[in-house]
Amino acid sequence: MPQLNPSPWFLIMLMTWATLMFIFLNKTLNMLFPSTPAQIQPKAKPLMPWSWPWL
């Protein structure tokens, strides 16, 4: 059974791994640093007088 020369396959495997790691590293870094949440100003609710039913 003939043996395959490992040198071209190793280079192909290494370049494939490096490409996938580069793609997934970019996706991972984008998920680690999300955009900061917007500061929302709370709306002031109008104060209504309490109405007590037993008074």
Side-chain angles (χ1 to χ4, degrees):
M1 188 174 212
Q3 296 289 322
L4 291 175
N5 185 6
S7 27
W9 299 108
F10 181 73
L11 183 62
I12 290 170
M13 182 189 68
L14 185 66
M15 295 304 285
T16 304
W17 179 83
T19 304
L20 288 174
M21 287 300 108
F22 180 74
I23 291 170
F24 288 125
L25 181 65
N26 282 343
K27 287 184 179 182
T28 305
L29 287 177
N30 285 339
M31 286 188 280
L32 288 178
F33 302 107
S35 59
T36 57
Q39 297 293 332
I40 299 173
Q41 297 294 331
K43 295 180 181 176
K45 294 183 178 178
L47 296 175
M48 301 292 287
W50 288 13
S51 59
W52 301 99
W54 55 84
L55 290 178

